[in-house]
Amino acid sequence: MDIETVPKQTGSNILVTGAAGFIGFHVSKRLSEEGHHVLGIDNLNSYYDVELKHARLEQLARQKHFSFEQCDLNDPAFASVFKRFSPGVVIHLAAQAGVRYSLEAPEAYAQSNLSGFLQVLEACRLNPVSHLVYASTSSVYGANTKKPYCETQSADHPLSLYAATKKANEAMAHAYSHLFRIPATGLRFFTVYGPWGRPDMALFLFTSAILEGRPIDVFNHGQMKRDFTYIDDVVDGIARVLDLPPQGNSAWDGDRPDPATSAAPHQIFNIGNSAPVPLTEMIEVLESCLGKTAKRNLLPMQPGDVPETFADVSALSSYCGYQPSTSIEDGISKFVAWYRGYYRV
């Protein structure tokens, strides 16, 4: 579908940045299948396999209500595309991801996560939207050791530049919400996995290595836990929150500020599984699904990593009925089935 033919009904048009990415693909597919007019934006960078991104887009191209523009958020063309499409809702998922890569290429994070998000905020200011939903990360909790992570905790001690840029996104969104009354919801994602996933994530890397007989790198000597969250649960949470833009918390108190809400129309939620799984258990489930045993290369903790993530999702559950339901066994089984089919192994 050409962008010029998309109806300009405010509220029916949803712009998804990072649409060729893992989460962006699934969100775009779900919403376009529901009949929303979805415009996907992506610069198709080469951080990981571009062919996988094109394959996702080929799936999306089959959707009647989906259209796509290859565009970098920092490109002047983005503003004109945004204005022409006139979205009622924006779902901002484009970002330079990866904790470890931020130690190698910090400039990429400033360009994409800071400057790129600023362009999204400016577009929302100049072309008012009913709701901006944007991706944050569990990594913002950084040096916090109290579990489970709750949105009312301070998140001022990030342990990687990636986490710092995402925390900056939350501050930037709040400022624009305060100044220009842009309703904005930040979602802190917890280790999302599933079919069409990212090749730089542990499940993808482990699957590839085990099938090829290569050893897998297991950091912190396997003493890690992650709140693995299946993609369908995440997409359901995003879809649920879209129609519930924040109005501002009338009880917010500047003497005792709640980090999760504001007098401005801005709020933050965790979106996870609320059930941390030891890395060793994840590997065992994967081995069972693959029918092969992994060769484990035990390594120390990597800079920027944390030993455990654990999401308290009670706030999002109360707000929109979010309820993750996919077990690690079912989720990994579905991922392996997709992987074998996609790569024909």
Side-chain angles (χ1 to χ4, degrees):
M1 181 184 295
D2 185 88
I3 187 174
E4 298 295 346
T5 67
V6 176
K8 299 299 189 290
Q9 298 171 327
T10 301
S12 68
N13 290 356
I14 300 176
L15 185 144
V16 179
T17 70
F22 172 35
I23 301 175
F25 160 71
H26 284 279
V27 168
S28 298
K29 186 172 184 292
R30 160 84 177 257
L31 295 177
S32 56
E33 286 175 346
E34 290 179 349
H36 298 283
H37 298 283
V38 179
L39 174 63
I41 298 284
D42 204 294
N43 66 1
L44 299 177
N45 70 32
S46 58
Y47 169 63
Y48 64 78
D49 184 14
V50 177
E51 288 186 11
L52 179 59
K53 297 180 182 182
H54 281 292
R56 293 175 183 143
L57 289 175
E58 287 174 8
Q59 295 286 316
L60 291 174
R62 301 173 186 174
Q63 301 296 323
K64 178 181 178 182
H65 300 293
F66 178 81
S67 55
F68 177 73
E69 291 271 341
Q70 183 173 349
C71 180
D72 191 283
L73 298 178
N74 290 300
D75 190 316
F78 171 67
S80 61
V81 169
F82 191 106
K83 184 175 182 179
R84 195 161 74 249
F85 182 63
S86 186
V89 172
V90 174
I91 305 174
H92 175 61
L93 301 170
Q96 177 57 63
V99 169
R100 292 166 193 150
Y101 186 62
S102 66
L103 289 139
E104 303 172 25
E107 295 84 0
Y109 291 78
Q111 186 74 3
S112 180
N113 299 3
L114 300 179
S115 180
F117 188 47
L118 177 60
Q119 306 316 312
V120 172
L121 291 171
E122 275 293 285
C124 292
R125 176 179 74 86
L126 297 172
N127 308 274
V129 300
S130 61
H131 198 183
L132 165 64
V133 178
Y134 66 94
S136 187
T137 173
S138 62
S139 294
V140 300
Y141 289 107
N144 284 3
T145 56
K146 183 180 179 182
K147 307 291 188 310
Y149 291 145
C150 179
E151 303 92 335
T152 57
Q153 291 177 243
S154 169
D156 292 328
H157 299 87
L159 298 179
S160 69
L161 180 64
Y162 166 66
T165 60
K166 286 298 189 175
K167 177 61 178 174
N169 285 171
E170 294 179 359
M172 293 163 70
H174 180 267
Y176 269 69
S177 291
H178 168 74
L179 292 168
F180 309 114
R181 310 307 296 176
I182 299 171
T185 298
L187 297 175
R188 291 173 175 170
F189 294 116
F190 282 70
T191 316
V192 186
Y193 74 101
W196 297 97
R198 276 180 23 216
D200 62 321
M201 297 290 284
L203 180 59
F204 210 114
L205 292 169
F206 289 177
T207 299
S208 174
I210 293 170
L211 287 173
E212 294 173 10
R214 294 182 285 106
I216 61 173
D217 289 338
V218 182
F219 295 108
N220 200 33
H221 305 284
Q223 302 303 305
M224 307 272 273
K225 289 184 178 181
R226 286 292 180 268
D227 202 331
F228 293 104
T229 314
Y230 189 66
I231 183 62
D232 289 357
D233 292 330
V234 167
V235 172
D236 183 65
I238 293 172
R240 285 174 177 272
V241 86
L242 286 186
D243 293 330
L244 297 170
Q247 306 299 313
N249 181 3
S250 60
W252 195 84
D253 184 353
D255 286 338
R256 290 176 295 178
D258 171 12
T261 65
S262 173
H266 179 265
Q267 61 195 359
I268 292 170
F269 292 112
N270 290 335
I271 183 164
N273 197 46
S274 201
V277 174
L279 186 59
T280 51
E281 181 181 331
M282 184 272 267
I283 295 169
E284 289 167 2
V285 172
L286 180 58
E287 289 173 326
S288 176
C289 290
L290 293 173
K292 295 189 70 173
T293 301
K295 302 171 184 176
R296 307 185 191 195
N297 182 26
L298 301 180
L299 298 171
M301 179 82 82
Q302 295 293 286
D305 273 355
V306 295
E308 178 182 358
T309 61
F310 183 178
D312 179 343
V313 299
S314 58
L316 186 60
S317 178
S318 297
Y319 189 72
C320 67
Y322 172 72
Q323 192 64 50
S325 60
T326 308
S327 69
I328 192 72
E329 291 82 6
D330 287 346
I332 289 181
S333 177
K334 291 175 181 178
F335 170 79
V336 168
W338 167 81
Y339 188 97
R340 287 189 182 279
Y342 182 77
Y343 290 104
R344 300 176 182 175
V345 295

